[in-house]
Amino acid sequence: MANSAPITTDVARAIDILQHGGVVAIPTETVYGLAACVAHPEAIRRVFDVKHRPYDHPLIVHLAPTSAIDEWGIFNDDALKLAVTCWPGPLTLLVPRTASVPDIVTGGRDSVAIRVPSHHVTQHVLEQLRDGVVAPSANTFGHVSPTTAQHVHDDIGTSVDLILDGGPCSVGIESTIVDCTTSPPQIVRPGAITQHEIETILATKIADTSGPSRAPGMLASHYAPRIPVELVDSLRAGRDLMSRYKRKYRHCVLIHHEDLTEYAIHLYDDLRHAEDMDYDGIIAVLPPAEGLGIAIRDRLQKASAAKTAQ
Ligand code: TXA
Ligand code: MG
């Protein structure tokens, strides 16, 4: 069996590998990303291959807080307001791209997804590289995103050059994506920056995630663990189902956190843990559809879609 890449806190080594066209898993506040420099198209191709991701699924360009964002995208007033208020942070903006963005990053689209992450380790990497870095979530295509260096190791450890350990992610679910190429802007993936926050910043109503998504790769089962996930609306319903399931399944687990921030932080680890324990089923309690609860519900619904449909 191939050796796994080292898990390390050696930032200088990560920078060196990226500068020389390697592929490194990096920590962000949302989830771990699989990074390659935009200047190295062969490294970007490797990112797609490691993930088994189709080449037409575009990637997010990650930039340092000090970088000139208008070299990468064209920011209208709304996009600028969101960038100034929310970056660095868990927000990705879709904006028209400039000529500096290669086709392989956008899958040939006219728009580019840009994010300035707040994780201090990755900010340091980006500052030193003085280049954009593509970084999809560092999991195999369709699997649950990683929120620790160990998760990355378990999924794709043998296919990357280095795993840079920045500790567990402080947000735990992927960034909010806002499409600023339309008026009004539209949320295409809910996240920790909520619709209410965005509407407050823009002082206007925006379109929410309902209707067909315009972000490719938002498949119904995109965040699926390998075991069935059943959703319930209350802790009480979850407990009832658990006791009935005890007769049906060998082992199952109930996922629930009262506090929404904690729910998001632990969600993917809870799902992976259930897989590792080889449980037969997961029951998850849907949080209320407000604030961060909307993003958690979105990920839970995707996690349950694949297996319950079978
Ligand atoms: O929190 C995050 O956003 C993490 C961390 C690592 O930064 N990254 C992440 O990347 O979730 P990824 O590739 O797993 O998800 C990015 C989503 C994909 O569904 C992709 O289709 C969409 O963003 N996307 C990227 N560029 C796009 C574009 N130009 N137009 C439409 N959708 C785009
Ligand atoms: Mg992903």
Side-chain angles (χ1 to χ4, degrees), residues 31 51 53 136-143 145-146 174 189 217 222-223:
V31 299
K51 280 182 64 78
R53 176 168 169 144
S137 51
N139 52 283
T140 46
F141 186 64
H143 195 215
S145 292
E174 304 82 352
R189 181 174 71 184
H222 198 65
Y223 301 91

Side-chain angles (χ1 to χ4, degrees), residues 97-295:
R97 69 159 158 168
T98 65
S100 325
V101 184
D103 273 348
I104 187 166
V105 171
T106 66
R109 281 170 193 75
D110 297 336
S111 64
V112 60
I114 301 179
R115 173 162 121 75
V116 177
S118 67
H119 196 293
H120 66 281
V121 170
T122 283
Q123 274 191 9
H124 184 67
V125 171
L126 293 167
E127 293 290 357
Q128 297 295 312
L129 284 173
R130 305 169 78 86
D131 188 15
V133 151
V134 295
S137 51
N139 52 283
T140 46
F141 186 64
H143 195 215
V144 179
S145 292
T147 54
T148 66
Q150 186 64 41
H151 292 167
V152 179
H153 167 276
D154 294 347
D155 249 18
I156 54 172
T158 55
S159 319
V160 303
D161 297 321
L162 196 78
I163 301 170
L164 186 57
D165 192 352
C169 300
S170 60
V171 173
I173 54 174
E174 304 82 352
S175 59
T176 308
I177 303 181
V178 179
D179 185 351
C180 294
T181 66
T182 55
S183 189
Q186 185 192 16
I187 295 183
V188 292
R189 181 174 71 184
I193 308 260
T194 62
Q195 178 168 352
H196 178 71
E197 283 174 81
I198 292 163
E199 289 179 341
T200 306
I201 294 162
L202 299 180
T204 183
K205 287 272 174 215
I206 59 164
D208 68 12
T209 43
S210 58
S213 173
R214 278 177 283 150
M218 302 283 160
L219 310 175
S221 66
H222 198 65
Y223 301 91
R226 285 183 276 267
I227 45 181
V229 181
E230 187 121 2
L231 305 179
V232 291
D233 280 321
S234 69
L235 184 54
R236 190 184 176 145
R239 287 193 177 127
D240 286 351
L241 198 57
M242 266 298 263
S243 43
R244 270 183 280 140
Y245 270 13
K246 279 192 181 137
R247 275 171 262 143
K248 180 170 158 193
Y249 288 137
R250 227 170 12 105
H251 295 296
C252 61
V253 63
L254 180 63
I255 296 180
H256 172 70
H257 299 271
E258 201 58 51
D259 180 87
L260 291 185
T261 306
E262 290 294 314
Y263 208 147
I265 289 175
H266 296 294
L267 176 61
Y268 289 152
D269 190 55
D270 288 346
L271 294 174
R272 279 171 181 267
H273 180 69
E275 276 182 351
D276 294 345
M277 297 300 287
D278 208 18
Y279 288 145
D280 304 301
I282 298 170
I283 299 166
V285 181
L286 286 166
E290 55 198 41
L292 183 56
I294 291 175

